[in-house]
Structures are given as C-alpha cells and as structure tokens.
Amino acid sequence: MAENRILSGMRPSGRLHLGNYFGALKNWVKLQDEYECMYMVADVHALTTLAGSDQVSTIANDTHEMVLDWLAAGLNPEKCVLFIQSQVPEHLILSSLLSMSTPLGWLLRVPTFKERVRQLGEDEEHLPYGLVGYPVLQTADVIVYKANKVPVGIDQVPHIEISREIVRRFNRLYGETFPEPQPLLTDSPMIYGTDGESKMSKSLNNHVELAASEEQTSSKVRTMVTDPQRLRLTDPGRPEVCNVYSLQKIFNNSQISNIHELCTTAGIGCVADKKNLSDGINSFFKEFRERRIKLEEKPEEIKEVLKAGAEKARKIATATIEEVYSKMGLA
Ligand code: TRP
C-alpha cells in the first residue's frame, strides 16, 4: 500500500482565480515534492449539477484552461500524475460498487448536499441520483489509488469524513482493503471577492483570474469595495475592514506597515492603494503568465500530459478493481 499517496481534484471550472490559487493550487505545487501526488480534473463530478444543461459544452475547454493554469503554476507532470477523471473509468466502477454498501441516510445528511439542494431549489423527487452519490464517487476517486491523504479546503472536510465511513464499512464487510483517507488541511488565507463580502468565486463574478492581463487585473482591482465609511480622500481608512488591505498583506507584504500607516492617516487614497495592489498582483503572477502564454501555444502537449497521466493512473486503478471484484465475489 502506498504510504504517502495524495489524491485531489478540482471540477473543471476554466481559468482559476486568486481564491483557487491560495486555497488549493499553491499547496498542490508544494505537495508534489513531499508526496506521491495524483491530481485530477473532476469532470464526472461536474455532471452532477450540469448534466443536460448548456454548460456541458464548455467542459472540454474549461478542462484545458484549468490545466494550463495548473502547469503554469508549477505542477510538473514528471513529479505528479495529472489526469481527467472520465479517462479512468475505474472511478465509475468503484463508485458503483461502493454504492452497494453505502447507506442512503449518510448521503442525505452531508451538509454540502443539503446546501446544494437548497441552491438548486429542486424538490427531492427530481434530484439526480448522481448528485446524492457525489461523496461516493469522490470516495472512489481517492481509494481507487489507495491514497491516504486528501488536501482539501475546510468546506470539504465532511466529504472526507463520509469517505472514512464508507471505507470502514467496506473493510468490515469484505476484509481490510482500503486505508482510511485523512484530510490534509492547509491554513490558507480566505480570499474575498472584489465585493469585499463573499468568498471569491467565478459564479459571483467577483474574481480576479490568474491568467488575466495586467490591464484586466488593474480594472478588476479598481472595482474593489474598500472601507465603506471612507468617503473622502481626507477620511482615515480602516484597514481591518478593507479587503484591498487583506490582499495587500499577500501581495505587498514587505510594505505592509507603511500601507497601514498611510491608510489610517489618509496619507494615501484608495485609488492609489489599489494601483499599488494591482502592481503587486501583476508582479506576483508575471512569470506564471509568461509560462502560460508559452503553454497556450502547445495545446497538443496538454492533451499528451493528460493522456499519459490517465495511463499511469489506470495501472493502479485496474489492480484495485481486480482486488475489489474478487473480494465482492464477482468474476
Ligand atoms: N469535490 C471536489 C470539489 O468540488 C472535487 C473532487 C472530486 C475531489 N473528487 C475529489 C477533491 C477527490 C478531493 C478528492 O472541488
């Protein structure tokens, strides 16, 4: 059993933003030097909410754009395995087999499921079966590689908890087969969107893309909400309630005490402060963007990386399925 194998995934959401970077991708890059890492595009998971809608037509392109970000950020296919979930059908097989021993009640109680149902506003009769099974598929993703660690954000911890329960039950019924996956939490800063209110997210359109041009970055930053009580240039600002300030801590940390001083004494206005922030973001992502532009010219290479990744992944996954078939009494 691989002692230190990590699996994680992201649904294909297209170009990533600052929240995705600091919440996950930056950590993924670091982990590839410490563990055996498998990172996948969770395209089947995307179908749990998109199936049959217009949005499915963008899955392929969103996958491509997201993987460009992964590579430009430093995920290295020589160090980790990068692949698309649907190209390794063993995930689907294992999910289906695990569903035989997973009580429905567990799935209906997952907080993210209840949340989703509220968002979709569907009555229970019409909920897709696949949406209820989301955590079963996610468990299969992890354990088909017998991975024991899953880097996730705090909001995903209930999914890991239920994975552990699914694994315990399987092991009890069929004999010790899978390790119980552990969440690997990183304390990453919460990144708020340009509205200064909600978590940065593409669906709220309050995001700044990593791959944005310098001009696009500046114009997004210009729209950021700052201290709402600071109406005039001569009003002192309150950095502790200002989202621009919280981003300054990340992007211009070396000047942070000076920025604090200038803001609280009305020595600098929000417009100039934002200009400084977008300069900080632009210089932080300068090399990322240069690498990305080079990668954009080689779409075939991205396909190759993902294909080779899926081949490597399948070697491990098919062995697991063989073992599970035999333990479950299948031919
Ligand atoms: N549910 C995760 C998300 O929404 C994506 C995901 C799918 C995942 N399978 C996974 C994450 C397995 C960790 C491990 O972002």
Side-chain angles (χ1 to χ4, degrees), residues 117-169:
V117 172
R118 224 173 300 126
Q119 285 169 357
L120 293 171
E122 287 269 22
D123 66 87
E124 274 186 34
E125 287 287 310
H126 295 102
L127 285 177
Y129 169 58
L131 181 65
V132 185
Y134 193 108
V136 182
L137 179 58
Q138 178 156 326
T139 304
D141 296 337
V142 175
I143 69 176
V144 80
Y145 306 108
K146 301 192 178 184
N148 51 348
K149 297 215 164 58
V150 186
V152 285
I154 189 89
D155 55 320
Q156 288 275 324
V157 169
H159 280 159
I160 311 298
E161 263 322 302
I162 190 173
S163 289
R164 294 164 61 81
E165 291 183 59
I166 293 171
V167 163
R168 279 199 288 272
R169 191 177 190 112

Side-chain angles (χ1 to χ4, degrees), residues 1 5-7 90-91 94-95 97-99 101-102 135-150 160 162-171 177-182 316-317 319-321 323-324:
M1 228 173 250
R5 184 177 284 155
I6 276 181
L7 179 124
E90 287 72 20
H91 291 240
L94 186 56
S95 176
L97 296 173
L98 292 175
S99 77
S101 54
T102 305
V136 182
L137 179 58
Q138 178 156 326
T139 304
D141 296 337
V142 175
I143 69 176
V144 80
Y145 306 108
K146 301 192 178 184
N148 51 348
K149 297 215 164 58
V150 186
I160 311 298
I162 190 173
S163 289
R164 294 164 61 81
E165 291 183 59
I166 293 171
V167 163
R168 279 199 288 272
R169 191 177 190 112
F170 186 96
N171 286 346
T177 310
F178 298 110
E180 281 180 39
Q182 315 269 356
I316 308 171
T320 304
I321 295 298
E323 182 185 353
V324 169

Side-chain angles (χ1 to χ4, degrees), residues 13-18 65 69 200 202 205 207-213 216-217 220 281-282 285 288-289 292:
S13 59
R15 293 179 170 211
L16 299 176
H17 55 66
L18 302 181
E65 292 285 338
D69 283 342
M200 186 172 281
K202 186 172 172 168
N205 194 26
H207 62 303
V208 179
E209 288 175 355
L210 311 181
S213 67
Q216 286 165 336
T217 304
K220 271 279 187 174
I281 297 175
N282 287 334
F285 288 109
F288 167 94
R289 289 169 181 173
R292 197 184 195 277

